[in-house]
């Protein structure tokens, strides 16, 4: 495929950060419905989506594409922070660790209300799901230092994340 369309200037809000992340085990995902170039629905065979919300400025999505020879690789990362330290968040982290053995699929919502699918692609389906690649918990040193856990889920695929236009996953 070659360049097939022009791009015009975007005059809409372009705010950074994520407001919500829905996670499910990759084994739960049967399919996503591709409508044109975006996913419009998802089907789970079992299980459910679990919504994670964050304080302002504590979650982000990154994509880093590289080309070597004739092959394209795209590292996709979701980084989020559980502010503070408590047993409930510790249990959520343990669940994510456990789910990372086989993998996780995510739908993320950015600060402009746009949702994206990560850990599922047309080329690989659920064969390259997200996995926990980093988990750092800090207490801070001083009284005004932040404390909490920062997690990074990542996968490498050969296409960019697709928007998800369906209703919020349940």
């Amino acid at each position: 495929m070659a360049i097939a369309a022009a791009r015009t200037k975007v005059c809409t809000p372009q705010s950074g950060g994520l407001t919500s992340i829905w996670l499910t085990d990759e084994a739960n995902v049967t399919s996503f419905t591709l409508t044109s170039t975006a996913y419009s629905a998802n089907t789970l065979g079992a299980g459910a989506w679990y919504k994670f919300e964050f304080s302002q400025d504590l979650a982000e999505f990154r994509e880093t594409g590289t080309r070597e020879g004739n092959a394209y690789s795209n590292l996709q990362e979701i980084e989020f922070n559980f502010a503070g330290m408590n047993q409930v968040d510790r249990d959520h982290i343990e669940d994510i660790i456990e789910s990372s053995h086989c993998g996780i699929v995510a739908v993320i919502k950015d600060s402009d209300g746009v949702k994206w699918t990560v850990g599922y692609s047309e080329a690989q389906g659920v064969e390259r799901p997200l996995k926990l690649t980093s988990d750092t918990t800090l207490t801070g040193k001083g009284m005004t230092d932040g404390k909490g856990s920062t997690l990074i889920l990542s996968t490498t695929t050969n296409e960019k994340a697709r928007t998800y236009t369906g209703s919020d996953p349940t």
Side-chain angles (χ1 to χ4, degrees):
M1 176 193 285
I3 296 172
R7 181 184 188 277
T8 57
K9 170 174 63 171
V10 177
C11 296
T12 60
Q14 300 296 312
S15 303
L18 299 177
T19 59
S20 303
I21 299 173
W22 291 266
L23 302 176
T24 193
D25 291 335
E26 61 85 19
N28 296 338
V29 176
T30 302
S31 65
F32 278 82
T33 303
L34 185 65
T35 304
S36 184
T37 60
Y39 292 122
S40 58
N42 73 84
T43 303
L44 298 184
W49 290 97
Y50 297 96
K51 184 178 183 180
F52 291 77
E53 296 177 331
F54 306 93
S55 298
Q56 170 179 319
D57 303 332
L58 293 182
E60 74 174 330
F61 172 64
R62 295 184 295 268
E63 282 189 301
T64 306
T66 58
R67 177 171 291 286
E68 290 185 32
N70 232 11
Y72 177 77
S73 175
N74 189 0
L75 173 63
Q76 299 174 336
E77 298 174 297
I78 301 170
E79 180 175 326
F80 52 95
N81 181 277
F82 293 148
M85 296 171 64
N86 58 62
Q87 188 64 40
V88 172
D89 284 343
R90 181 240 178 249
D91 293 345
H92 285 309
I93 294 167
E94 286 294 326
D95 290 345
I96 291 170
I97 292 168
E98 183 66 27
S99 290
S100 287
H101 294 301
C102 289
I104 299 168
V105 175
V107 172
I108 59 176
K109 183 188 281 186
D110 69 25
S111 294
D112 294 321
V114 178
K115 291 178 284 205
W116 301 87
T117 305
V118 188
Y120 182 94
S121 69
E122 282 304 291
Q124 285 109 10
V126 293
E127 294 301 314
R128 299 197 64 89
L130 292 159
K131 295 193 177 185
L132 180 68
T133 53
S134 177
D135 164 24
T136 304
T137 301
L138 300 170
T139 62
K141 295 176 185 170
M143 291 299 292
T144 59
D145 290 348
K147 66 179 181 178
S149 299
T150 300
L151 287 77
I152 299 175
L153 303 176
S154 67
T155 186
T156 302
T157 183
N158 63 357
E159 65 180 47
K160 300 206 46 90
R162 293 180 186 267
T163 54
Y164 179 80
T165 60
S167 59
D168 292 350
T170 55

